[in-house]
Amino acid sequence: MVFRYSQGVFGVPGTHGAVSKLIKVLSTWLPSLRTRFVLLVAGLFLALSVVMIMVASYLDLRDEEQRVVSDARAIGATVSRLAVPHLTNHHYLILEQELESIAGSGVVELAQVHDPARAVTIDSDPDTSYFDEMDQHPLITLSLQTGLDQIRQTGDRIEIALPVRETADSPVLGVALVSVKRLQANGMLFAIWGRNIVITLVLLIFCVPVTFHFAENFVRPIKALTQTAHTVSAGNFDAPFPVERTDEIGVLARAYRDMVGTIRNNMARIHELAFVDPVTRLPNRESFRQHFNSNMQLADGTPVRMAVLFIDLDRFKRVNDSYGHDHGDALLKEVAARLQRLLNTSDKVAAGKTAFPPLVARLGGDEFAIVLPAEKPMSNVYTLADQLVQCVEQPLEINGLTMAVGASIGVSTYPDDGEDYTAILKNADIAMYAAKRTGGNRACFFNEIERDSRSHERIRLEAELKRALLADEITIAFQPKIDCATLRVVGAEVLARWDHPERGLLAPGCFIDVAEESDLITRLGDRVLELACRQGRVWLDHGQRLPLAVNVSIRQLEKPGFTARVLDILEITGFPAELLQLEVTETVAMGDPERISEAAKPLLEAGITFAIDDFGTGYSSLAHLQRLPFNTFKIDRSFISGLADDHHSRSIVQTILAMAKSLNYEVVAEGVETEEQHAFLAENGCTTAQGFLFARPMPAEHFEAWSKAFLMDGNHPRLAVGAQPKGGSTFAA
């Protein structure tokens, strides 16, 4: 009866009389209107539920079929992608293991990959091997012929074959086949019907009677919580949650409140890490950049005149070296506090007159920067610069110790000295270095040094060097190292060269200083090291095992991640670590022996060796030498050049050789140009020499030809002086 009534509701003709009769019978049996209404709603609900079960069963069955096909296709695509490198390199065993792992998940019944190049079929069955002969699946054959995906559905499984390609346009490397079990329709229908019937009964028994009375009570707090969630998603983390409730809505509201509180705290922490210097609590470089850029122009696009003061502390490194980084950090905090107090005082004096608030930030290391409005005349900037110098030079009390540092300040003005933040900061940096070159503890304005041709040359050379690193204009040359006793080539020093498009081949002396000051030395050093290791690997593959020495700058050692970059380059190029030697000048090594030892430790463990370059020109301490990771001295060329007529040079060289022997160090003599120098070194126990007596620095292809000629000739030094292989000239020193 209920079913017939429901048909009438849905427009089936001839049911109006049946509905009337049903209502009359219910009115007779059940005098309560409430009971009749509930039964009527229950009947409608039951009829609609039957229809919904039928529709849902059909849709769920179709969705389940589509899901199985989609899963099979996705798994096939995964197998196809996995098979690309294995088919390319014919690594069948690894591929077989991966297929077995895929089949072991229980979803896939069978996974196969066919390699037509070798007529091999690799499958997921652990009882078979790709050595076994197997019948080729029809779908694999069809996919190979057409180059298209093939699918076949049977009563109990779905099989999909997909061509294996490196890219969509690449030729077919093979075919991946996946077979997935297909669920039985009867079983799925029974499961779907059972689930929907249970749901319907539960709703009919429990939900219908309660809905009319409690729906609004349930919906109202959910609506309030939803509105609060929308408010939070719009960025208002202070929106109130209905946490006073004691039911599940209150629990959910409190969970939301706690989650939003955690997100708020995390965002505050992220903002602090991104924009606040952890040592001084000043804004960091990124915050400074954003402050500058946000105040560059007025609303109408008019540039706002502003000055950037680049502050570098004088003699700060001496504090770090003498007292440690803890004292250095404390000094930075005190300087930051002084700068902030001075800027706050200046800001109060100019209150209401400035276009934007001044900002002091720590850019990194011992570098600070200030940006402030610079109205003409710039008396406020000149006054502040002088005050900053006087402020910083006052003695500081750090952990009970009295310390004194100075400040070299460079000032550049926007838009007079540059069109954007990068140019202004760079020019302020240039002005700061000009202040340092004149003794430090003073301020220098960029517009006062812009007529200096050397400044312009430095700027131009820096820009060209950046372009050269991008355009691969940096090359390397190799100067051979010769065994003093056997006159055999035992290694080579790698020297950077810049193949400048206008000036020709430039030696390091023309651009290393610029690279050091502009912080391009890290990229330059990485480039030279990578080129050296790649060439060393090429020679090693050709049977020539040649140790290579590469110079390392103090800026490279100071940069975080130096050790990781060296090891990455060795891994990428395949050059053995034991054939690589890193050269550090004596001045750098003795200036910060702890940093050198710390940076060198993992490299030593990897097999890399270290050498002290230009030994004898610095102030080496035997105590430091024992702790440092070096095993090679390189005697500076200034001592070698004086061996002929300078008694002091001969004594110094003999002393270095004796000390090296007692410490079990190897010695390399640089700048050997005469046979007399070579003879003296050999007589006094020098192991290795390099210099123009043997060869000038040369490119890799000339080095190979020179090595062969050098080994074949019996009169090595006379042959090598000024000599070069035919077919090309050597590099200039």
Side-chain angles (χ1 to χ4, degrees):
M1 293 172 62
V2 174
F3 179 70
R4 289 172 57 194
Y5 173 68
S6 66
Q7 286 182 329
V9 172
F10 286 99
V12 179
T15 61
H16 181 68
V19 172
S20 301
K21 188 181 294 185
L22 174 62
I23 294 175
K24 185 177 180 180
V25 171
L26 291 176
S27 300
T28 303
W29 289 354
L30 302 172
S32 173
L33 291 176
R34 181 185 294 272
T35 306
R36 295 181 207 171
F37 179 77
V38 171
L39 289 177
L40 180 62
V41 172
L44 288 173
F45 182 83
L46 184 61
L48 291 174
S49 297
V50 172
V51 176
M52 290 176 59
I53 289 174
M54 299 298 294
V55 174
S57 299
Y58 169 74
L59 294 177
D60 288 350
L61 182 61
R62 189 176 65 177
D63 289 345
E64 188 67 23
E65 289 286 346
Q66 292 177 350
R67 185 190 65 79
V68 173
V69 173
S70 178
D71 289 348
R73 186 176 295 277
I75 295 172
T78 301
V79 173
S80 177
R81 288 193 300 271
L82 287 174
V84 170
H86 300 306
L87 293 184
T88 304
N89 301 310
H90 304 299
H91 292 165
Y92 299 135
L93 181 59
I94 298 176
L95 179 57
E96 186 178 59
Q97 294 173 349
E98 292 178 346
L99 293 180
E100 291 179 4
S101 176
I102 291 173
S105 63
V107 177
V108 177
E109 185 179 29
L110 175 65
Q112 287 186 347
V113 174
H114 180 70
D115 186 357
R118 295 191 175 181
V120 173
T121 299
I122 306 96
D123 67 2
S124 58
D125 189 352
D127 296 330
T128 63
S129 171
Y130 55 84
F131 296 106
D132 301 334
E133 295 185 3
M134 302 182 192
D135 294 332
Q136 187 168 302
H137 197 281
L139 288 185
I140 293 178
T141 304
L142 190 58
S143 183
L144 284 174
Q145 293 173 352
T146 62
L148 302 175
D149 297 353
Q150 302 296 330
I151 183 169
R152 183 173 69 182
Q153 300 186 38
T154 63
D156 56 349
R157 65 175 52 84
I158 297 173
E159 297 173 325
I160 293 180
L162 297 91
V164 178
R165 294 185 172 92
E166 289 189 12
T167 62
D169 300 328
S170 301
V172 176
L173 299 175
V175 175
L177 175 70
V178 172
S179 176
V180 178
K181 293 181 180 179
R182 184 177 185 181
L183 298 177
Q184 296 297 321
N186 292 337
M188 290 197 314
L189 282 176
F190 287 140
I192 295 170
W193 288 348
R195 181 175 68 247
N196 288 326
I197 289 173
V198 170
I199 293 173
T200 301
L201 292 176
V202 170
L203 291 176
L204 183 63
I205 295 172
F206 295 101
C207 296
V208 173
V210 179
T211 300
F212 298 102
H213 191 274
F214 296 102
E216 186 61 26
N217 290 334
F218 285 148
V219 171
R220 187 182 298 113
I222 293 176
K223 287 182 177 179
L225 188 59
T226 302
Q227 183 61 39
T228 302
H230 284 304
T231 304
V232 171
S233 65
N236 181 13
F237 292 100
D238 296 323
F241 286 91
V243 296
E244 68 281 356
R245 296 178 63 96
T246 58
D247 56 8
E248 288 79 0
I249 298 297
V251 174
L252 181 60
R254 287 187 288 275
Y256 267 113
R257 181 197 58 185
D258 296 341
M259 180 184 68
V260 170
T262 302
I263 293 174
R264 183 194 299 114
N265 295 335
N266 289 341
M267 291 186 65
R269 179 58 177 162
I270 291 171
H271 182 275
E272 180 178 327
L273 293 174
F275 299 106
V276 179
D277 175 62
V279 176
T280 63
R281 312 306 299 170
L282 290 176
N284 62 8
R285 180 184 290 268
E286 177 59 22
S287 180
F288 185 80
R289 182 189 68 82
Q290 292 189 12
H291 186 77
F292 182 97
N293 289 336
S294 63
N295 293 287
M296 287 177 62
Q297 295 180 344
L298 298 175
D300 59 0
T302 305
V304 176
R305 285 182 56 80
M306 62 179 79
V308 169
L309 290 78
F310 194 104
I311 306 167
D312 186 89
L313 301 184
D314 301 328
R315 302 181 299 279
F316 174 74
K317 186 176 183 300
R318 188 178 304 169
V319 174
N320 256 352
D321 294 343
S322 301
Y323 300 106
H325 292 285
D326 291 340
H327 286 72
D329 289 347
L331 187 147
L332 291 174
K333 293 178 183 178
E334 178 60 28
V335 170
R338 289 187 180 186
L339 297 178
Q340 189 67 66
R341 287 195 297 267
L342 178 61
L343 197 62
N344 290 340
T345 302
S346 302
D347 193 20
K348 290 179 181 178
V349 172
K353 301 179 182 179
T354 58
F356 62 90
L359 179 73
V360 57
R362 182 190 177 207
L363 303 186
D366 60 344
E367 296 176 344
F368 298 84
I370 295 175
V371 58
L372 73 160
E375 298 294 338
K376 289 185 177 180
M378 296 199 314
S379 56
N380 65 321
V381 179
Y382 283 92
T383 301
L384 180 61
D386 291 337
Q387 291 174 343
L388 288 170
V389 172
Q390 297 172 16
C391 171
V392 174
E393 70 179 355
Q394 297 300 319
L396 303 98
E397 292 291 332
I398 305 297
N399 297 331
L401 299 173
T402 301
M403 303 178 185
V405 294
S408 295
I409 303 177
V411 185
S412 64
T413 306
Y414 172 82
D416 300 341
D417 299 331
E419 298 179 352
D420 55 22
Y421 167 80
T422 303
I424 292 297
L425 192 66
K426 180 181 69 173
N427 292 338
D429 188 16
I430 293 172
M432 182 273 294
Y433 274 105
K436 276 192 177 295
R437 284 195 296 268
T438 56
N441 205 34
R442 63 182 295 266
C444 185
F445 285 71
F446 180 76
N447 59 3
E448 297 175 359
I449 64 168
E450 64 178 356
R451 298 183 183 87
D452 186 352
S453 60
R454 288 182 299 175
S455 299
H456 286 289
E457 175 65 16
R458 180 189 178 281
I459 295 172
R460 186 169 69 88
L461 197 62
E462 179 183 339
E464 291 180 349
L465 184 56
K466 288 182 180 178
R467 178 188 52 78
L469 288 169
L470 294 175
D472 290 337
E473 294 177 3
I474 302 301
T475 61
I476 54 175
F478 299 85
Q479 185 169 32
K481 295 181 179 180
I482 307 299
D483 187 293
C484 289
T486 64
L487 291 179
R488 291 186 175 275
V489 180
V490 293
E493 180 179 1
V494 181
L495 303 171
R497 294 291 187 265
W498 180 1
D499 191 7
H500 197 283
E502 298 176 0
R503 304 184 189 182
L505 205 61
L506 300 181
C510 299
F511 57 88
I512 285 295
D513 290 343
V514 173
E516 291 270 7
E517 293 180 4
S518 62
D519 208 24
L520 293 173
I521 190 65
T522 300
R523 292 166 56 188
L524 177 62
D526 291 348
R527 175 64 176 164
V528 171
L529 180 60
E530 182 178 356
L531 290 174
C533 292
R534 288 193 184 281
Q535 183 58 51
R537 181 71 246 184
V538 171
W539 282 335
L540 194 62
D541 292 340
H542 292 167
Q544 186 175 3
R545 186 179 177 85
L546 188 70
L548 299 178
V550 180
N551 291 281
V552 176
S553 162
I554 181 60
R555 286 293 184 99
Q556 292 175 260
L557 293 171
E558 290 176 345
K559 279 286 186 180
F562 168 74
T563 300
R565 289 197 305 276
V566 173
L567 296 178
D568 286 345
I569 290 174
L570 289 175
E571 182 178 359
I572 292 171
T573 59
F575 188 63
E578 62 270 15
L579 295 183
L580 177 63
Q581 184 175 79
L582 299 180
E583 297 184 0
V584 181
T585 61
E586 182 183 15
T587 304
V588 170
M590 294 301 110
D592 197 348
E594 293 182 1
R595 185 189 297 273
I596 300 297
S597 299
E598 182 180 353
K601 185 178 179 180
L603 299 178
L604 287 169
E605 293 174 353
I608 299 172
T609 59
F610 282 79
I612 299 183
D613 199 9
D614 302 334
F615 188 78
T617 60
Y619 302 94
S620 293
S621 164
L622 290 177
H624 285 165
L625 285 177
Q626 290 179 341
R627 296 199 306 267
L628 285 170
F630 300 102
N631 65 350
T632 302
F633 289 153
K634 294 196 71 175
I635 304 177
D636 187 69
R637 64 179 66 248
S638 61
F639 299 114
I640 304 301
S641 62
L643 288 179
D645 50 11
D646 187 352
H647 174 72
H648 293 291
S649 294
R650 297 169 70 92
S651 299
I652 290 174
V653 171
Q654 288 175 329
T655 301
I656 293 174
L657 292 172
M659 180 175 64
K661 183 178 181 180
S662 63
L663 295 175
N664 198 25
Y665 275 54
E666 295 184 9
V667 179
V668 178
E670 297 182 293
V672 179
E673 299 183 359
T674 67
E675 293 187 29
E676 291 77 8
Q677 294 170 352
H678 171 252
F680 178 85
L681 293 168
E683 291 172 1
N684 286 274
C686 182
T687 54
T688 311
Q690 66 182 78
F692 292 172
L693 175 65
F694 308 104
R696 295 175 178 270
M698 64 190 80
E701 58 272 18
H702 294 173
F703 188 94
E704 295 181 28
W706 175 88
S707 299
K708 294 177 181 178
F710 187 80
L711 291 173
M712 292 175 59
D713 191 87
N715 206 3
H716 302 86
R718 285 196 174 89
L719 172 70
V721 175
Q724 59 189 32
K726 294 181 179 180
S729 61
T730 61
F731 275 47

